[in-house]
Every structure is written in C-alpha cells, then in structure tokens.
Amino acid sequence: MTRLDAILSVPRSAELAALVLRLGLGAVFLAHALAKPLVFTLPGTAAFFAASGFPGWTAYPVFLAELLGGAALLAGLRTRLVSLALLPVMAGALLVHLPNGWMFSGQGGGWEYVAFLMIALGAQALLGDGLFAVGRPQRGQCPVLKSASRVVAP
C-alpha cells in the first residue's frame, strides 16, 4: 500500500476533502470579489447590477460578502455559517444567469457554474471546516497523515 492509498483510505479523509473544498471555494469567492474593484470597478459593477434588475447599491454588500466570505473560507473561520451565508449571493447570481441557458460558456454565461457553486457551498456546510481551520483547535500532527504513517512503515 502506498502512502497515498493510506491517506485516502483512512476514515478521516473526509477532513482532508473538506479542506480541499473549502480552499477551492475560498479562492473562487476571493477572486470574484477582487474582480469587482480591480477589473470592473465598483461603479461599473453597480451599473451591471442595475442593468440586471438589482438596485445598483447592492453591488457593494455583494462585494463585501464575497471578499469576507472568501477570506473566512480560506482561513476556516465559521465555515458552515459562511457557506450558508453565501448562498443568497449565489441565488442572486443564478437569477442573472438563468435566462442565458445552461452552459456557462454561452453568451452572457449560463447557470451551470453558479448552480455548481451553490451545491458546493451546501456540501461545505454539511462537511464543516475540515483540516487546518482557524475555527477549530489543532492538536499535534494532521490526523490523516498521522493515521497514514501508522499504516505505511517508513
């Protein structure tokens, strides 16, 4: 049995999976947040929101939710709550993308990517923090790697 097999076969590998999902979601939300001021500008984002049928001012709380939510997910701070709190933001995005069809690569971007992010947020809320989260005490070595080192002799 290889070290990778040992890591992936231990019961605590769900903790590792939750970590990987949390880091991926955190990076996506942080990137989406930072695109608003750095690429589109916040006034430009507000104009897009208004053109999409939302009040323009809602671009600012959405920016903050994505920025703070992404950072909290990366850190593993209140992961379940943050994942659930980001769902209404994604529901708003879903409303914008629904008329554009399924495929996100289509004109205006379809709703498949938004729906996937909503499902991933739901899964993260069910899984919790995972390994290496600020919000949970860390004692000693990573439990997944510790278990794997007992299975595989050095």
Side-chain angles (χ1 to χ4, degrees):
M1 179 183 290
T2 68
R3 183 171 281 269
L4 180 61
D5 290 332
I7 290 171
L8 296 178
S9 67
V10 297
R12 303 269 323 244
S13 64
E15 297 288 323
L16 186 58
L19 166 69
V20 171
L21 181 60
R22 178 172 54 83
L23 293 177
L25 283 169
V28 165
F29 278 98
L30 208 54
H32 278 255
L34 292 175
K36 288 170 174 58
L38 300 177
V39 177
F40 306 116
T41 75
L42 287 173
T45 302
F48 173 78
F49 274 45
S52 299
F54 294 98
W57 64 267
T58 59
Y60 298 93
V62 166
F63 162 70
L64 285 174
E66 290 177 346
L67 181 71
L68 298 176
L73 286 172
L74 285 174
L77 186 62
R78 312 244 346 157
T79 302
R80 292 178 195 269
L81 179 65
V82 170
S83 296
L84 293 174
L86 287 169
L87 282 172
V89 173
M90 295 312 299
L94 187 66
L95 290 174
V96 172
H97 291 281
L98 272 175
N100 302 331
W102 165 252
M103 295 298 291
F104 196 75
S105 60
Q107 179 70 25
W111 55 272
E112 70 171 320
Y113 181 63
V114 179
F116 176 77
L117 286 177
M118 292 177 79
I119 292 166
L121 285 169
Q124 188 71 69
L126 292 170
L127 286 168
D129 294 326
L131 295 174
F132 308 116
V134 171
R136 72 186 269 181
Q138 302 296 323
R139 294 184 202 103
Q141 185 182 358
C142 163
V144 171
L145 298 179
K146 191 174 188 179
S147 297
S149 66
R150 286 193 303 257
V151 173
V152 178

